[in-house]
Amino acid sequence: MISTPNMAPGNAHLGPILPRRFYDRATVEVARELLGKVMVHGATGGIIVETEAYLGLDDQASHAFRGITPRSKVMFGPPGRAYVYFIYGMYECINVVTERDGKAGAVLIRALEPLFGIDLMQVRRPAAKRLRDLASGPGKLTLAMGITRVLNGADFTHGSLVIRDRRGAKPFEIVAGPRIGITKCADWPLRFTIAESEFVSK
DNA sequence: GGTAGGATGGGCT
DNA sequence: GCCCATCCTACCC
């Protein structure tokens, strides 16, 4: 059992579900602004502490680089939907689709600070020895939250999978750096983290 | 603290 | 047939 000393979320509380227009913007802008927001799926929720921007036809690291395919289709669709893909034969990663309908863009959610439903996350991720390992990676957080490809195309503005604002939290500093796990366009500074968070991936 | 290697299967050339 | 937007374990300081 992971102990959770001093994990009270302070006086911060959940705000409204982010509206469609939040996502209908430049991908980099959305990637930065998603930090500190809360992703909720069913009984589990966590604060987004790490994101990566994946652009469209100009970004060789993006699944949208080669145009519309069965897999990349969602990235070209309307903003505010989930793009969930299967990777390395074992894991799934979740993105938030950005930009207007017809233009590709997505933000990979790379790490969460677990906020509620922690017991359930723990059951789903027995390998995690510490709270900060529960959702500190794109494959880890989908496992912890029970997110699979069934949710590909799901709408983040209503239903069991949503992203909400968080009010009353301390301000934080954003750090930008190179994206992780890719080789093409690896030096583009499109990974964003909350500077002082211990819940980011390594 | 750190890293090397293996697991495992879908997407696309 | 090769390439992955990864994670875990074993092993080594």
Side-chain angles (χ1 to χ4, degrees):
Chain A
M1 187 61 127
I2 298 167
S3 62
T4 58
N6 304 319
M7 271 309 294
N11 294 320
H13 57 277
L14 293 185
I17 292 173
L18 302 182
R20 178 97 44 220
R21 64 178 178 279
F22 178 92
Y23 305 102
D24 193 2
R25 293 186 283 168
T27 304
V28 169
E29 199 175 331
V30 178
R32 297 179 66 99
E33 299 223 356
L34 277 173
L35 295 175
K37 303 295 191 287
V38 178
M39 183 161 78
V40 179
H41 180 231
T44 61
I47 304 167
I48 298 170
V49 298
E50 176 177 351
T51 61
E52 275 178 4
Y54 283 87
L55 313 182
L57 298 167
D58 300 323
D59 180 0
Q60 287 189 75
S62 172
H63 292 164
F65 177 65
R66 294 172 199 287
I68 300 180
T69 67
R71 183 174 68 162
S72 70
K73 188 174 130 193
V74 183
M75 280 186 72
F76 287 86
R81 307 272 261 265
Y83 167 44
V84 185
Y85 66 90
F86 187 59
I87 189 69
Y88 293 114
M90 258 182 279
Y91 300 104
E92 295 172 89
C93 299
I94 186 164
N95 293 250
V96 178
V97 175
T98 59
E99 308 277 4
R100 63 169 172 80
D101 192 4
K103 183 177 179 185
V107 175
L108 174 66
I109 309 299
R110 282 198 58 92
L112 301 174
E113 174 178 341
L115 192 58
F116 55 86
I118 292 174
D119 290 351
L120 179 52
M121 293 193 202
Q122 229 175 283
V123 170
R124 289 167 171 161
R125 275 196 33 74
K129 304 234 182 332
R130 309 168 176 206
L131 185 62
R132 69 168 180 265
D133 300 324
L134 254 192
S136 59
K140 297 177 188 178
L141 72 90
T142 53
L143 278 171
M145 298 192 80
I147 291 166
T148 69
R149 281 165 288 176
V150 172
L151 288 167
N152 190 42
D155 194 333
F156 275 106
T157 65
H158 66 266
S160 66
L161 177 68
V162 294
I163 300 177
R164 313 191 74 107
D165 208 346
R166 188 158 181 264
R167 295 272 160 75
K170 289 180 191 168
F172 53 83
E173 196 177 322
I174 298 174
V175 177
R179 294 177 291 185
I180 289 183
I182 59 169
T183 51
K184 297 160 195 156
C185 309
D187 52 336
W188 293 10
L190 296 180
R191 173 177 178 252
F192 304 98
T193 59
I194 292 182
E196 47 278 350
S197 177
E198 54 179 330
F199 296 91
V200 301
S201 69
K202 294 208 52 191

